[in-house]
Amino acid sequence: MVFLILTIAFVANAEEVRVTIFSQSQIKTLVFETEEGKYSLVADNRLLMRLKKNAIIYFTIVGKGISVWDQDEHLGIFNELYLTASSRRSVFKVEPAVPALKARSYDGDLKVTAVGGNLKIENYVDVNDYLSGVVESEAGPRAPYEYYKTQAIISRTYLYEKIWREGVDKYTLMDNVNHQVYLSRNHKNNIIRQAVNHTTDLIIVDSTNMPIIAVFHSNSGGQTANSEDVWLSPTPYLKSVIDSFSLKQHNSVWRDTVSVDRWIKYLTTNGIKINTPKAKIDNLTYTPTSRERCYRYMTDTIPLKKIRTDFGFKSAWFSIKPKAGGRVLEFTGYGYGHGVGLSQEGAMEMARRNYSFIDIINFYYQGVQIVNIHNIEKR
């Protein structure tokens, strides 16, 4: 508990977090441009130059180092580079050239290092700037204001719980769905930043005043999942709830097809005994009435999350029936994502129906409280 207090005290006063951007790509060449304000380029602890607005720098992997060019000349080969902002109003744009990827804009500073023959690109950014970018990336620019406050609180909780669990010097953040999506700074809707500021320092804690693991997904399909049905470990606040708010939303229903031969072969390979014509027929239809952990036939089972992964389905909750002709099966699925915790589309619908962020959080997470992180520090 002492470690928790010390860690959260550090986080509550921290001015920035670090996030690896383009984390799922192997970047060989990167173009940096100053969009607003000024930046200093520091290479291997030495100031190379100061960059004004619209200045461009090129980084390319060369052996174990990074070759650096400006628009006029080669500046050298270095191991570690920092681009530090002169003020909070400074903004930069980065665009991978090899491979060619869409440009992104960020607040804060940038660190570029060579790791395993690729560029590792890290954004050092103010906590609220980071959360504003996450909320816009996760929710888009046209969600209800009360939902933006909800997403800000769960994203802040997710961040602080991760830093607490891994340690302030060891935590890692990626910019993708493995952590929280962070595709750019907040620039499409100013009320997102207002929502982040409105909820500053608010996090969600469980009955022991510990920050919760604030997981969320796109759509529950009408019922969220128990944590133990997806990740094996039961968590008191991550329990299944009937979620009518997620129905009739964009991702509430999906459909796919699989050939009968492929499905039967898959079941057999994964331990389902299909050794009679009746067994084959029985496994061409599957109609669960609610979320389940496993696909079952007789005493044999396959985890539904494994089926979802192996077939690339949007969720692990689906029904099966043969299509006309009998050679193809139609899968009708419900929801999008792992199904645990908050349903984003359901929460948006709650916000449209004038539920508060407190109502929304308490609906999807059981037995929790929303508290100021400084109050935990005092306790």
Side-chain angles (χ1 to χ4, degrees):
M1 193 63 180
V2 171
F3 176 71
L4 170 64
I5 293 170
L6 291 175
T7 301
I8 291 184
F10 176 88
V11 173
N13 295 311
E15 294 182 355
E16 64 182 17
V17 292
R18 63 182 185 274
V19 191
T20 300
I21 57 177
F22 299 105
S23 59
Q24 291 185 304
S25 302
Q26 297 182 334
I27 308 299
K28 305 293 184 183
T29 299
L30 182 74
V31 182
F32 171 96
E33 181 178 353
T34 302
E35 286 196 321
E36 299 292 341
K38 299 178 181 179
Y39 278 81
S40 296
L41 174 59
V42 178
D44 294 343
N45 296 317
R46 177 168 61 91
L47 177 64
L48 274 189
M49 61 190 306
R50 301 189 188 279
L51 308 176
K52 297 181 179 180
K53 184 177 179 179
N54 299 326
I56 296 176
I57 300 291
Y58 304 90
F59 304 98
T60 300
I61 282 286
V62 175
K64 295 182 179 180
I66 304 170
S67 179
V68 182
W69 294 74
D70 66 6
Q71 293 170 287
D72 299 316
E73 60 181 342
H74 185 233
L75 303 177
I77 297 177
F78 308 96
N79 297 314
E80 186 175 81
L81 298 120
Y82 287 91
L83 291 127
T84 58
S86 61
S87 72
R88 281 290 306 277
R89 293 188 296 273
S90 297
V91 177
F92 67 86
K93 179 171 70 175
V94 280
E95 181 175 3
V98 180
L101 299 174
K102 186 177 179 180
R104 301 181 185 178
S105 295
Y106 290 100
D107 301 293
D109 302 339
L110 191 72
K111 178 183 178 182
V112 183
T113 52
V115 178
N118 300 299
L119 296 176
K120 182 178 181 180
I121 309 159
E122 295 175 285
N123 181 205
Y124 284 66
V125 60
D126 172 85
V127 170
N128 279 356
D129 288 340
Y130 166 69
L131 291 173
S132 298
V134 168
V135 172
E136 182 170 293
S137 298
E138 288 282 359
R142 291 182 293 275
Y145 183 63
E146 205 66 17
Y147 177 77
Y148 285 139
K149 290 192 285 184
T150 303
Q151 184 72 58
I153 292 170
I154 62 177
S155 293
R156 185 182 296 108
T157 304
Y158 185 98
L159 168 66
Y160 286 173
E161 190 279 335
K162 184 173 181 60
I163 294 176
W164 164 73
R165 177 165 37 87
E166 297 183 5
V168 293
D169 297 321
K170 297 181 180 179
Y171 79 94
T172 57
L173 281 174
M174 303 298 177
D175 62 347
N176 56 52
V177 294
N178 292 329
H179 293 164
Q180 302 189 99
V181 179
Y182 176 55
L183 299 181
S184 73
R185 64 191 296 266
N186 163 222
H187 64 286
K188 295 180 180 179
N189 189 335
N190 290 334
I191 72 167
I192 291 175
R193 183 54 187 252
Q194 294 174 29
V196 172
N197 290 340
H198 190 173
T199 61
T200 294
D201 294 332
L202 294 184
I203 65 168
I204 310 168
V205 298
D206 63 15
S207 59
T208 65
N209 290 320
M210 302 287 271
I212 72 167
I213 302 171
V215 291
F216 52 91
H217 56 280
S218 177
N219 187 296
S220 73
Q223 181 185 0
T224 65
N226 293 309
S227 62
E228 61 266 30
D229 293 341
V230 178
W231 300 309
L232 301 182
S233 286
T235 304
Y237 50 81
L238 296 176
K239 293 300 180 185
S240 177
V241 297
I242 301 301
D243 176 22
S244 62
F245 302 106
S246 289
L247 299 177
K248 298 181 181 180
Q249 304 299 320
H250 179 69
N251 287 307
S252 57
V253 178
W254 56 267
R255 287 180 173 81
D256 208 338
T257 56
V258 176
S259 71
V260 169
D261 290 343
R262 183 186 176 195
W263 177 243
I264 295 301
K265 181 179 180 181
Y266 177 83
L267 296 180
T268 303
T269 301
N270 285 276
I272 303 293
K273 296 183 182 64
I274 302 178
N275 46 20
T276 65
K278 181 180 184 304
K280 179 178 179 180
I281 293 172
D282 288 346
N283 282 280
L284 301 184
T285 303
Y286 175 58
T287 55
T289 57
S290 60
R291 283 188 178 269
E292 298 179 347
R293 178 186 293 185
C294 295
Y295 178 91
R296 300 177 184 276
Y297 182 66
M298 306 298 283
T299 58
D300 303 324
T301 62
I302 304 174
L304 283 163
K305 67 175 184 178
K306 174 175 170 54
I307 296 176
R308 178 201 174 195
T309 300
D310 291 344
F311 284 90
F313 293 151
K314 289 185 176 181
S315 73
W317 185 15
F318 52 81
S319 59
I320 308 171
K321 67 177 182 179
K323 293 192 72 174
R327 294 185 179 182
V328 175
L329 300 175
E330 181 178 66
F331 285 66
T332 301
Y334 313 99
Y336 193 170
H338 51 64
V340 182
L342 179 138
S343 165
Q344 291 174 300
E345 289 187 347
M348 289 182 197
E349 179 62 18
M350 290 185 74
R352 285 191 285 268
R353 297 188 193 183
N354 296 320
Y355 286 90
S356 72
F357 69 87
I358 298 173
D359 296 328
I360 297 169
I361 287 169
N362 281 298
F363 177 76
Y364 286 107
Y365 304 108
Q366 309 303 300
V368 300
Q369 297 182 72
I370 301 169
V371 301
N372 189 300
I373 195 169
H374 295 286
N375 292 341
I376 298 181
E377 181 183 343
K378 290 175 183 177
R379 292 176 191 175

